[in-house]
Amino acid sequence: MPTSIDSINSMKKYCLALDLKNDPQLVKEYEEYHQNVWPEILASITESGIDSMEIYRVENRLFMIMLLRIHSHLRVKVKWTAGIRRYRSGSS
């Protein structure tokens, strides 16, 4: 977490919401995938500039809250959008 006022001022909080496909098997697969995240994935999250991340699910709606260093927000969005495509409602 940030340790000074300058580092707090260089952070930005993002709150994202999306609907998963209404497919119980895919939702189960998504949850299982996130139970044991590979160390390489966790490292890439940190390297991308994400200082903290929380994900919540209510039925098939996901809420993700991220605290990012400002310079990294576009790179993170591109990676996240590509990774979630399989599970996202409205995508094929």
Coordinates of all heavy atoms in Angstrom, one line a residue:
M1 N 0.8 -1.2 0.0 CA 0.0 0.0 0.0 C 0.9 1.2 0.0 O 2.0 1.2 0.4 CB -0.9 0.0 1.2 CG -2.0 -1.1 1.2 SD -3.0 -1.0 -0.3 CE -4.2 0.2 0.1
P2 N 0.3 2.4 -0.4 CA 1.1 3.6 -0.5 C 1.6 4.0 0.9 O 1.0 3.8 1.9 CB 0.1 4.6 -1.0 CG -1.0 3.9 -1.6 CD -1.0 2.5 -0.9
T3 N 2.8 4.6 0.9 CA 3.4 4.9 2.2 C 3.6 6.4 2.3 O 4.1 6.8 3.4 CB 4.8 4.2 2.3 OG1 5.6 4.6 1.2 CG2 4.6 2.7 2.4
S4 N 3.3 7.2 1.4 CA 3.4 8.6 1.5 C 2.3 9.3 0.7 O 1.6 8.7 -0.1 CB 4.7 9.1 0.9 OG 4.7 9.0 -0.5
I5 N 2.1 10.6 1.0 CA 1.1 11.4 0.3 C 1.3 11.4 -1.2 O 0.4 11.3 -1.9 CB 1.0 12.8 0.9 CG1 0.6 12.8 2.4 CG2 0.1 13.7 0.1 CD1 -0.8 12.2 2.6
D6 N 2.6 11.6 -1.6 CA 2.9 11.6 -3.0 C 2.4 10.3 -3.7 O 1.9 10.3 -4.8 CB 4.4 11.8 -3.2 CG 4.8 13.2 -2.9 OD1 3.9 14.1 -2.9 OD2 6.0 13.5 -2.6
S7 N 2.7 9.1 -3.0 CA 2.3 7.9 -3.7 C 0.8 7.7 -3.7 O 0.2 7.2 -4.7 CB 3.0 6.7 -3.0 OG 2.6 6.6 -1.7
I8 N 0.1 8.2 -2.7 CA -1.4 8.2 -2.7 C -1.9 9.0 -3.8 O -2.8 8.6 -4.6 CB -2.0 8.6 -1.3 CG1 -1.6 7.6 -0.3 CG2 -3.5 8.9 -1.4 CD1 -2.0 8.0 1.1
N9 N -1.3 10.2 -4.0 CA -1.8 11.1 -5.1 C -1.5 10.6 -6.5 O -2.1 11.0 -7.5 CB -1.2 12.5 -4.9 CG -1.7 13.2 -3.8 OD1 -2.8 13.0 -3.3 ND2 -0.9 14.1 -3.2
S10 N -0.6 9.6 -6.6 CA -0.3 9.0 -7.9 C -1.1 7.7 -8.2 O -0.8 7.0 -9.1 CB 1.2 8.8 -8.1 OG 1.6 7.7 -7.2
M11 N -2.1 7.5 -7.3 CA -3.0 6.3 -7.5 C -4.3 6.6 -8.0 O -4.8 7.8 -7.8 CB -3.1 5.6 -6.1 CG -1.8 5.3 -5.4 SD -0.9 4.0 -6.2 CE -1.6 2.6 -5.5
K12 N -5.0 5.7 -8.6 CA -6.4 5.9 -9.0 C -7.1 4.6 -8.7 O -6.6 3.5 -9.0 CB -6.3 6.2 -10.5 CG -7.6 6.7 -11.0 CD -7.4 7.4 -12.3 CE -8.7 8.2 -12.6 NZ -8.5 9.1 -13.7
K13 N -8.4 4.7 -8.2 CA -9.2 3.6 -7.9 C -10.2 3.4 -9.1 O -10.8 4.3 -9.6 CB -10.0 3.8 -6.7 CG -10.8 2.6 -6.3 CD -11.6 2.8 -5.0 CE -10.7 2.6 -3.8 NZ -11.4 2.5 -2.5
Y14 N -10.3 2.2 -9.6 CA -11.2 1.8 -10.6 C -12.2 0.8 -10.1 O -11.8 -0.2 -9.4 CB -10.5 1.2 -11.8 CG -9.7 2.2 -12.6 CD1 -8.4 2.6 -12.3 CD2 -10.3 2.8 -13.7 CE1 -7.7 3.5 -13.0 CE2 -9.6 3.8 -14.4 CZ -8.3 4.1 -14.0 OH -7.7 5.1 -14.8
C15 N -13.4 1.0 -10.4 CA -14.5 0.0 -10.0 C -15.2 -0.4 -11.3 O -15.7 0.4 -12.1 CB -15.5 0.7 -9.1 SG -14.8 1.3 -7.6
L16 N -15.1 -1.7 -11.6 CA -15.6 -2.3 -12.8 C -16.7 -3.2 -12.5 O -16.7 -4.0 -11.5 CB -14.5 -3.0 -13.6 CG -13.3 -2.2 -13.9 CD1 -12.2 -3.1 -14.5 CD2 -13.6 -1.0 -14.9
A17 N -17.7 -3.3 -13.3 CA -18.8 -4.3 -13.2 C -19.1 -4.9 -14.5 O -19.0 -4.2 -15.6 CB -20.1 -3.6 -12.7
L18 N -19.4 -6.1 -14.6 CA -19.8 -6.8 -15.8 C -20.6 -8.0 -15.5 O -20.6 -8.5 -14.4 CB -18.6 -7.2 -16.7 CG -17.7 -8.3 -16.2 CD1 -18.2 -9.6 -16.7 CD2 -16.3 -8.0 -16.7
D19 N -21.4 -8.4 -16.4 CA -22.2 -9.6 -16.3 C -21.5 -10.8 -16.9 O -21.1 -10.7 -18.1 CB -23.6 -9.4 -16.9 CG -24.4 -8.4 -16.1 OD1 -24.2 -8.2 -14.9 OD2 -25.3 -7.7 -16.7
L20 N -21.4 -11.9 -16.1 CA -20.9 -13.1 -16.7 C -22.0 -13.7 -17.6 O -23.2 -13.5 -17.4 CB -20.5 -14.1 -15.6 CG -19.4 -13.7 -14.7 CD1 -19.2 -14.6 -13.5 CD2 -18.1 -13.5 -15.5
K21 N -21.6 -14.6 -18.5 CA -22.6 -15.3 -19.2 C -23.5 -16.1 -18.3 O -23.0 -16.6 -17.3 CB -22.0 -16.3 -20.2 CG -21.2 -15.6 -21.3 CD -20.6 -16.6 -22.3 CE -19.9 -15.8 -23.4 NZ -19.2 -16.8 -24.3
N22 N -24.8 -16.3 -18.6 CA -25.7 -17.0 -17.8 C -25.5 -18.5 -18.0 O -26.4 -19.1 -18.6 CB -27.1 -16.5 -18.0 CG -28.1 -17.1 -17.0 OD1 -27.7 -17.6 -15.9 ND2 -29.4 -16.9 -17.2
D23 N -24.4 -19.0 -17.6 CA -24.0 -20.4 -17.9 C -23.4 -20.9 -16.6 O -22.2 -20.6 -16.3 CB -23.0 -20.5 -19.0 CG -22.6 -21.9 -19.4 OD1 -22.5 -22.7 -18.4 OD2 -22.2 -22.1 -20.5
P24 N -24.1 -21.7 -15.8 CA -23.6 -22.1 -14.5 C -22.2 -22.8 -14.6 O -21.4 -22.7 -13.7 CB -24.7 -23.1 -14.0 CG -25.9 -22.6 -14.6 CD -25.5 -22.1 -16.0
Q25 N -22.0 -23.6 -15.6 CA -20.7 -24.3 -15.8 C -19.6 -23.3 -16.0 O -18.5 -23.4 -15.4 CB -20.8 -25.3 -16.9 CG -19.5 -26.1 -17.1 CD -19.1 -26.9 -15.8 OE1 -20.0 -27.4 -15.1 NE2 -17.8 -26.9 -15.5
L26 N -19.8 -22.3 -16.8 CA -18.8 -21.3 -17.0 C -18.5 -20.4 -15.7 O -17.4 -20.1 -15.4 CB -19.1 -20.3 -18.1 CG -18.7 -20.8 -19.5 CD1 -19.2 -19.7 -20.6 CD2 -17.3 -21.0 -19.7
V27 N -19.6 -20.1 -15.0 CA -19.4 -19.4 -13.7 C -18.6 -20.2 -12.7 O -17.7 -19.8 -12.1 CB -20.8 -19.0 -13.1 CG1 -20.6 -18.4 -11.7 CG2 -21.5 -18.0 -14.0
K28 N -18.9 -21.5 -12.6 CA -18.2 -22.4 -11.8 C -16.7 -22.5 -12.2 O -15.8 -22.5 -11.4 CB -18.8 -23.8 -11.8 CG -18.1 -24.9 -10.9 CD -18.9 -26.2 -11.0 CE -18.3 -27.2 -10.0 NZ -17.4 -28.1 -10.6
E29 N -16.5 -22.6 -13.5 CA -15.1 -22.6 -14.0 C -14.4 -21.3 -13.7 O -13.2 -21.4 -13.3 CB -15.2 -22.8 -15.6 CG -13.8 -22.8 -16.2 CD -14.0 -22.9 -17.8 OE1 -14.8 -23.7 -18.2 OE2 -13.3 -22.2 -18.5
Y30 N -15.0 -20.2 -13.8 CA -14.4 -18.9 -13.5 C -14.0 -18.9 -12.0 O -12.9 -18.5 -11.7 CB -15.4 -17.8 -13.8 CG -14.9 -16.4 -13.3 CD1 -14.1 -15.7 -14.1 CD2 -15.3 -16.0 -12.1 CE1 -13.7 -14.4 -13.7 CE2 -14.8 -14.7 -11.6 CZ -14.0 -14.0 -12.4 OH -13.5 -12.8 -12.0
E31 N -14.9 -19.3 -11.1 CA -14.6 -19.3 -9.7 C -13.4 -20.3 -9.4 O -12.6 -19.9 -8.6 CB -15.8 -19.7 -8.9 CG -16.8 -18.6 -8.8 CD -18.0 -18.9 -7.9 OE1 -18.3 -20.1 -7.6 OE2 -18.7 -17.9 -7.5
E32 N -13.5 -21.5 -10.0 CA -12.4 -22.4 -9.7 C -11.0 -21.9 -10.2 O -10.0 -22.0 -9.6 CB -12.7 -23.8 -10.4 CG -13.8 -24.5 -9.7 CD -14.2 -25.8 -10.5 OE1 -13.7 -26.0 -11.7 OE2 -15.1 -26.5 -10.0
Y33 N -11.1 -21.2 -11.3 CA -9.9 -20.6 -11.9 C -9.2 -19.6 -11.0 O -8.0 -19.4 -10.9 CB -10.2 -19.9 -13.3 CG -9.1 -19.4 -14.0 CD1 -8.2 -20.2 -14.7 CD2 -8.8 -18.0 -14.0 CE1 -7.1 -19.6 -15.4 CE2 -7.8 -17.4 -14.7 CZ -6.9 -18.3 -15.4 OH -5.9 -17.7 -16.1
H34 N -10.1 -18.9 -10.2 CA -9.6 -17.8 -9.3 C -9.3 -18.3 -7.9 O -8.9 -17.6 -7.0 CB -10.6 -16.7 -9.3 CG -10.6 -15.8 -10.5 ND1 -11.2 -16.2 -11.7 CD2 -9.9 -14.7 -10.7 CE1 -11.0 -15.3 -12.6 NE2 -10.2 -14.4 -12.1
Q35 N -9.5 -19.6 -7.6 CA -9.2 -20.2 -6.3 C -7.7 -20.3 -6.0 O -7.2 -20.1 -4.9 CB -9.9 -21.5 -6.1 CG -11.4 -21.4 -6.0 CD -11.9 -20.5 -4.9 OE1 -11.4 -20.6 -3.7 NE2 -12.7 -19.5 -5.2
N36 N -7.0 -20.7 -7.0 CA -5.5 -21.0 -6.9 C -4.8 -20.3 -8.1 O -4.4 -20.9 -9.1 CB -5.2 -22.5 -7.0 CG -5.8 -23.2 -5.8 OD1 -5.6 -22.9 -4.7 ND2 -6.7 -24.2 -6.1
V37 N -4.7 -19.0 -7.9 CA -4.1 -18.1 -9.0 C -2.6 -18.4 -9.0 O -1.9 -18.5 -8.0 CB -4.3 -16.6 -8.7 CG1 -3.7 -15.8 -9.8 CG2 -5.8 -16.4 -8.6
W38 N -2.1 -18.7 -10.2 CA -0.7 -19.0 -10.4 C 0.2 -17.8 -9.9 O -0.2 -16.6 -10.1 CB -0.3 -19.2 -11.9 CG -1.0 -20.4 -12.4 CD1 -1.7 -21.4 -11.8 CD2 -1.1 -20.8 -13.8 NE1 -2.2 -22.3 -12.6 CE2 -1.8 -22.0 -13.9 CE3 -0.6 -20.2 -15.0 CZ2 -2.0 -22.6 -15.1 CZ3 -0.8 -20.8 -16.2 CH2 -1.5 -22.0 -16.2
P39 N 1.3 -18.1 -9.3 CA 2.2 -17.0 -8.9 C 2.6 -16.0 -10.0 O 2.8 -14.8 -9.8 CB 3.5 -17.7 -8.4 CG 3.0 -19.1 -8.0 CD 1.8 -19.4 -9.0
E40 N 2.8 -16.6 -11.3 CA 3.1 -15.7 -12.4 C 2.0 -14.7 -12.7 O 2.3 -13.6 -13.1 CB 3.3 -16.6 -13.7 CG 4.5 -17.6 -13.5 CD 4.1 -18.9 -12.9 OE1 3.0 -19.1 -12.4 OE2 5.0 -19.8 -12.9
I41 N 0.7 -15.1 -12.5 CA -0.4 -14.2 -12.7 C -0.3 -13.1 -11.7 O -0.5 -11.9 -12.0 CB -1.7 -14.9 -12.7 CG1 -1.8 -16.0 -13.8 CG2 -2.9 -14.0 -12.8 CD1 -1.7 -15.4 -15.2
L42 N -0.1 -13.5 -10.4 CA -0.1 -12.5 -9.3 C 1.1 -11.5 -9.6 O 0.9 -10.3 -9.4 CB 0.1 -13.2 -8.0 CG -1.1 -14.1 -7.5 CD1 -0.8 -14.8 -6.3 CD2 -2.4 -13.2 -7.4
A43 N 2.2 -12.0 -10.0 CA 3.3 -11.2 -10.3 C 3.0 -10.2 -11.5 O 3.4 -9.0 -11.4 CB 4.6 -12.0 -10.6
S44 N 2.3 -10.7 -12.5 CA 2.0 -9.8 -13.6 C 1.0 -8.7 -13.2 O 1.1 -7.6 -13.7 CB 1.5 -10.6 -14.8 OG 0.2 -11.1 -14.6
I45 N 0.1 -9.1 -12.3 CA -0.8 -8.1 -11.8 C 0.0 -6.9 -11.1 O -0.3 -5.7 -11.4 CB -1.8 -8.7 -10.8 CG1 -2.8 -9.6 -11.6 CG2 -2.6 -7.7 -10.0 CD1 -3.7 -10.5 -10.8
T46 N 0.9 -7.3 -10.2 CA 1.7 -6.3 -9.5 C 2.5 -5.5 -10.5 O 2.6 -4.3 -10.4 CB 2.6 -7.0 -8.5 OG1 1.7 -7.7 -7.6 CG2 3.4 -6.0 -7.7
E47 N 3.2 -6.2 -11.5 CA 4.0 -5.5 -12.5 C 3.2 -4.6 -13.4 O 3.8 -3.6 -13.9 CB 4.8 -6.6 -13.3 CG 5.8 -7.3 -12.5 CD 6.3 -8.6 -13.2 OE1 5.9 -8.9 -14.4 OE2 7.0 -9.4 -12.6
S48 N 1.9 -4.9 -13.5 CA 1.1 -4.0 -14.4 C 0.7 -2.7 -13.7 O 0.1 -1.8 -14.3 CB -0.2 -4.8 -14.7 OG 0.0 -5.9 -15.5
G49 N 1.0 -2.6 -12.4 CA 0.8 -1.4 -11.7 C -0.4 -1.4 -10.8 O -0.9 -0.4 -10.2
I50 N -1.0 -2.6 -10.6 CA -2.1 -2.8 -9.7 C -1.6 -3.0 -8.3 O -0.9 -4.0 -8.0 CB -3.0 -4.0 -10.1 CG1 -3.6 -3.8 -11.5 CG2 -4.1 -4.2 -9.1 CD1 -4.3 -4.9 -12.1
D51 N -1.9 -2.2 -7.4 CA -1.5 -2.3 -6.0 C -2.4 -3.1 -5.1 O -2.0 -3.8 -4.2 CB -1.2 -0.9 -5.3 CG 0.1 -0.3 -5.8 OD1 0.8 -0.9 -6.6 OD2 0.4 0.8 -5.3
S52 N -3.7 -3.1 -5.5 CA -4.7 -4.0 -4.8 C -5.8 -4.3 -5.7 O -6.2 -3.4 -6.6 CB -5.1 -3.4 -3.4 OG -6.0 -2.2 -3.7
M53 N -6.5 -5.4 -5.5 CA -7.6 -5.8 -6.3 C -8.5 -6.7 -5.4 O -8.1 -7.5 -4.7 CB -7.1 -6.7 -7.5 CG -8.2 -7.2 -8.4 SD -7.7 -8.4 -9.6 CE -6.7 -7.4 -10.7
E54 N -9.8 -6.4 -5.6 CA -10.8 -7.2 -4.9 C -11.9 -7.5 -6.0 O -12.2 -6.7 -6.8 CB -11.5 -6.4 -3.8 CG -10.6 -5.9 -2.7 CD -11.2 -5.0 -1.7 OE1 -12.4 -5.1 -1.5 OE2 -10.5 -4.1 -1.2
I55 N -12.4 -8.7 -6.0 CA -13.4 -9.2 -6.9 C -14.6 -9.8 -6.1 O -14.3 -10.6 -5.2 CB -12.9 -10.2 -7.9 CG1 -11.7 -9.7 -8.7 CG2 -14.0 -10.7 -8.8 CD1 -11.1 -10.7 -9.6
Y56 N -15.8 -9.3 -6.4 CA -17.0 -9.8 -5.7 C -17.9 -10.3 -6.8 O -18.0 -9.7 -7.9 CB -17.7 -8.7 -4.9 CG -16.7 -8.1 -3.9 CD1 -16.0 -6.9 -4.2 CD2 -16.6 -8.7 -2.6 CE1 -15.1 -6.4 -3.2 CE2 -15.8 -8.1 -1.7 CZ -15.1 -7.0 -2.0 OH -14.2 -6.5 -1.0
R57 N -18.7 -11.3 -6.5 CA -19.7 -11.8 -7.4 C -21.1 -11.9 -6.7 O -21.2 -12.4 -5.6 CB -19.4 -13.2 -8.0 CG -20.3 -13.7 -9.0 CD -19.9 -15.0 -9.6 NE -20.0 -16.1 -8.7 CZ -21.2 -16.7 -8.4 NH1 -22.3 -16.4 -9.0 NH2 -21.2 -17.7 -7.5
V58 N -22.1 -11.3 -7.4 CA -23.5 -11.5 -7.0 C -24.2 -12.1 -8.1 O -24.3 -11.4 -9.2 CB -24.1 -10.1 -6.6 CG1 -25.6 -10.3 -6.2 CG2 -23.3 -9.4 -5.5
E59 N -24.6 -13.4 -8.0 CA -25.2 -14.1 -9.1 C -24.2 -14.1 -10.2 O -23.1 -14.6 -10.1 CB -26.6 -13.7 -9.4 CG -27.5 -13.9 -8.2 CD -29.0 -13.4 -8.5 OE1 -29.3 -13.1 -9.6 OE2 -29.7 -13.4 -7.5
N60 N -24.6 -13.5 -11.4 CA -23.7 -13.5 -12.5 C -23.1 -12.2 -12.8 O -22.5 -11.9 -13.8 CB -24.3 -14.1 -13.8 CG -25.4 -13.1 -14.4 OD1 -26.1 -12.5 -13.6 ND2 -25.4 -13.1 -15.7
R61 N -23.2 -11.3 -11.8 CA -22.5 -9.9 -11.9 C -21.3 -9.9 -11.1 O -21.2 -10.3 -9.9 CB -23.5 -8.8 -11.5 CG -22.8 -7.5 -11.5 CD -23.7 -6.3 -11.7 NE -24.4 -6.5 -13.0 CZ -25.4 -5.7 -13.4 NH1 -25.9 -4.9 -12.6 NH2 -26.0 -5.9 -14.6
L62 N -20.2 -9.4 -11.7 CA -18.9 -9.3 -11.1 C -18.7 -7.8 -10.8 O -19.0 -6.9 -11.6 CB -17.8 -9.7 -12.0 CG -17.5 -11.2 -12.2 CD1 -16.3 -11.4 -13.1 CD2 -17.4 -11.9 -10.9
F63 N -18.0 -7.5 -9.7 CA -17.6 -6.2 -9.3 C -16.1 -6.3 -9.0 O -15.7 -7.2 -8.1 CB -18.3 -5.7 -8.1 CG -19.8 -5.5 -8.3 CD1 -20.7 -6.5 -8.0 CD2 -20.3 -4.4 -8.9 CE1 -22.0 -6.4 -8.2 CE2 -21.7 -4.2 -9.1 CZ -22.5 -5.2 -8.8
M64 N -15.3 -5.5 -9.6 CA -13.8 -5.6 -9.4 C -13.4 -4.2 -9.0 O -13.7 -3.2 -9.7 CB -13.0 -6.0 -10.6 CG -11.5 -6.1 -10.3 SD -10.5 -7.0 -11.5 CE -11.0 -6.3 -13.0
I65 N -12.7 -4.1 -7.9 CA -12.2 -2.8 -7.4 C -10.7 -2.9 -7.4 O -10.1 -3.8 -6.8 CB -12.7 -2.5 -6.0 CG1 -14.2 -2.5 -6.0 CG2 -12.1 -1.2 -5.5 CD1 -14.8 -2.6 -4.6
M66 N -10.0 -2.0 -8.1 CA -8.6 -2.0 -8.2 C -8.0 -0.6 -7.9 O -8.6 0.4 -8.2 CB -8.1 -2.3 -9.7 CG -8.6 -3.6 -10.2 SD -7.9 -3.9 -11.9 CE -8.8 -2.7 -12.8
L67 N -6.8 -0.7 -7.2 CA -6.1 0.5 -6.9 C -4.8 0.5 -7.8 O -4.0 -0.5 -7.7 CB -5.7 0.6 -5.4 CG -5.1 1.9 -5.0 CD1 -6.0 3.1 -5.2 CD2 -4.7 1.8 -3.5
L68 N -4.7 1.4 -8.7 CA -3.6 1.4 -9.7 C -2.8 2.6 -9.6 O -3.3 3.7 -9.3 CB -4.2 1.4 -11.1 CG -4.7 0.1 -11.7 CD1 -6.1 -0.2 -11.1 CD2 -4.8 0.2 -13.2
R69 N -1.5 2.5 -10.0 CA -0.7 3.6 -10.2 C -1.1 4.2 -11.5 O -1.4 3.5 -12.5 CB 0.8 3.2 -10.3 CG 1.4 2.9 -9.0 CD 2.8 2.3 -9.0 NE 2.7 1.0 -8.4 CZ 3.0 -0.1 -9.0 NH1 3.6 -0.1 -10.2 NH2 2.9 -1.3 -8.4
I70 N -1.3 5.5 -11.6 CA -2.0 6.2 -12.7 C -1.4 5.9 -14.0 O -2.1 5.7 -15.0 CB -2.0 7.8 -12.4 CG1 -2.9 8.1 -11.3 CG2 -2.4 8.5 -13.7 CD1 -3.0 9.5 -10.8
H71 N -0.1 5.8 -14.2 CA 0.5 5.6 -15.5 C 0.2 4.2 -16.1 O 0.4 4.0 -17.2 CB 2.0 5.7 -15.4 CG 2.7 4.7 -14.6 ND1 2.8 4.7 -13.2 CD2 3.3 3.5 -15.0 CE1 3.4 3.6 -12.8 NE2 3.7 2.9 -13.8
S72 N -0.4 3.3 -15.3 CA -0.5 1.9 -15.8 C -2.0 1.6 -16.1 O -2.2 0.5 -16.6 CB 0.0 0.9 -14.7 OG -0.8 1.1 -13.5
H73 N -2.9 2.5 -16.0 CA -4.3 2.1 -16.1 C -4.7 1.6 -17.5 O -5.5 0.7 -17.6 CB -5.2 3.2 -15.6 CG -5.3 4.4 -16.5 ND1 -4.3 5.4 -16.5 CD2 -6.2 4.8 -17.4 CE1 -4.6 6.3 -17.3 NE2 -5.7 6.0 -17.9
L74 N -4.2 2.1 -18.6 CA -4.6 1.7 -19.9 C -4.1 0.3 -20.2 O -4.8 -0.6 -20.7 CB -4.2 2.7 -21.0 CG -4.9 4.0 -21.0 CD1 -4.3 4.9 -22.0 CD2 -6.4 3.8 -21.2
R75 N -2.9 0.0 -19.8 CA -2.3 -1.3 -20.1 C -3.1 -2.4 -19.3 O -3.4 -3.5 -19.8 CB -0.8 -1.3 -19.6 CG -0.1 -2.5 -19.8 CD 1.4 -2.3 -19.5 NE 1.6 -1.2 -18.7 CZ 2.4 -1.1 -17.6 NH1 3.1 -2.2 -17.3 NH2 2.6 -0.1 -16.9
V76 N -3.5 -2.1 -18.1 CA -4.2 -3.1 -17.3 C -5.6 -3.3 -17.9 O -6.0 -4.5 -18.0 CB -4.4 -2.5 -15.8 CG1 -5.4 -3.4 -15.1 CG2 -3.0 -2.5 -15.1
K77 N -6.3 -2.3 -18.4 CA -7.6 -2.5 -19.0 C -7.5 -3.4 -20.2 O -8.4 -4.2 -20.4 CB -8.2 -1.1 -19.3 CG -9.6 -1.2 -19.8 CD -10.3 0.1 -20.1 CE -11.7 -0.2 -20.6 NZ -12.3 0.9 -21.2
V78 N -6.6 -3.2 -21.0 CA -6.4 -4.0 -22.2 C -6.2 -5.5 -21.8 O -6.9 -6.4 -22.4 CB -5.2 -3.5 -23.1 CG1 -4.9 -4.5 -24.2 CG2 -5.6 -2.1 -23.7
K79 N -5.3 -5.8 -20.9 CA -5.1 -7.1 -20.5 C -6.3 -7.8 -19.9 O -6.7 -8.9 -20.1 CB -4.0 -7.2 -19.4 CG -2.6 -7.1 -20.0 CD -1.6 -7.3 -18.9 CE -0.2 -7.3 -19.4 NZ 0.8 -7.5 -18.4
W80 N -7.0 -7.0 -19.0 CA -8.2 -7.5 -18.3 C -9.3 -7.8 -19.3 O -10.0 -8.9 -19.2 CB -8.7 -6.5 -17.2 CG -9.8 -7.0 -16.5 CD1 -9.8 -7.9 -15.4 CD2 -11.2 -6.7 -16.7 NE1 -11.1 -8.1 -15.0 CE2 -12.0 -7.4 -15.7 CE3 -11.8 -5.8 -17.5 CZ2 -13.3 -7.3 -15.6 CZ3 -13.2 -5.7 -17.5 CH2 -13.9 -6.4 -16.5
T81 N -9.5 -6.9 -20.2 CA -10.6 -7.1 -21.2 C -10.4 -8.3 -22.0 O -11.3 -9.1 -22.3 CB -10.7 -5.9 -22.1 OG1 -11.0 -4.7 -21.3 CG2 -11.8 -6.0 -23.1
A82 N -9.2 -8.6 -22.4 CA -8.8 -9.8 -23.2 C -9.0 -11.0 -22.4 O -9.6 -12.0 -22.9 CB -7.4 -9.7 -23.7
G83 N -8.7 -11.0 -21.1 CA -8.7 -12.2 -20.3 C -10.1 -12.6 -19.9 O -10.4 -13.8 -19.7
I84 N -11.1 -11.7 -19.8 CA -12.4 -12.0 -19.3 C -13.4 -12.3 -20.4 O -14.5 -12.7 -20.2 CB -12.9 -10.8 -18.4 CG1 -14.1 -11.2 -17.6 CG2 -13.3 -9.6 -19.3 CD1 -13.8 -12.1 -16.5
R85 N -13.0 -12.1 -21.7 CA -13.9 -12.2 -22.8 C -14.6 -13.5 -22.8 O -15.8 -13.5 -23.1 CB -13.1 -12.1 -24.1 CG -13.9 -12.0 -25.4 CD -13.1 -11.6 -26.6 NE -12.8 -10.2 -26.5 CZ -11.6 -9.7 -26.6 NH1 -10.6 -10.5 -26.9 NH2 -11.4 -8.4 -26.5
R86 N -14.0 -14.6 -22.5 CA -14.7 -15.9 -22.5 C -15.9 -16.0 -21.6 O -16.9 -16.7 -21.9 CB -13.7 -17.0 -22.1 CG -14.3 -18.4 -21.9 CD -13.2 -19.4 -21.5 NE -13.7 -20.6 -21.0 CZ -14.2 -21.6 -21.7 NH1 -14.2 -21.5 -23.0 NH2 -14.6 -22.7 -21.1
Y87 N -15.9 -15.3 -20.5 CA -16.9 -15.4 -19.5 C -18.0 -14.3 -19.6 O -19.0 -14.4 -19.0 CB -16.3 -15.3 -18.1 CG -15.2 -16.4 -17.9 CD1 -13.9 -16.1 -18.0 CD2 -15.6 -17.7 -17.7 CE1 -12.9 -17.1 -17.9 CE2 -14.6 -18.7 -17.5 CZ -13.3 -18.4 -17.6 OH -12.3 -19.3 -17.5
R88 N -17.7 -13.2 -20.3 CA -18.5 -12.0 -20.3 C -19.8 -12.2 -21.1 O -19.8 -12.7 -22.3 CB -17.7 -10.9 -20.9 CG -18.3 -9.6 -20.8 CD -17.4 -8.5 -21.2 NE -18.1 -7.2 -21.1 CZ -17.6 -6.1 -21.4 NH1 -16.3 -6.0 -21.9 NH2 -18.2 -4.9 -21.3
S89 N -20.9 -11.8 -20.5 CA -22.1 -11.8 -21.2 C -22.1 -10.9 -22.4 O -21.5 -9.8 -22.3 CB -23.3 -11.3 -20.3 OG -24.5 -11.3 -20.9
G90 N -22.7 -11.3 -23.5 CA -22.7 -10.4 -24.7 C -21.5 -10.7 -25.6 O -21.4 -10.1 -26.7
S91 N -20.6 -11.5 -25.2 CA -19.5 -11.9 -26.1 C -19.6 -13.3 -26.6 O -20.3 -14.1 -26.0 CB -18.2 -11.7 -25.4 OG -18.0 -12.6 -24.3
S92 N -19.1 -13.6 -27.7 CA -19.2 -15.0 -28.2 C -17.9 -15.7 -28.2 O -16.9 -15.2 -27.8 CB -19.7 -14.9 -29.7 OG -19.0 -14.0 -30.4

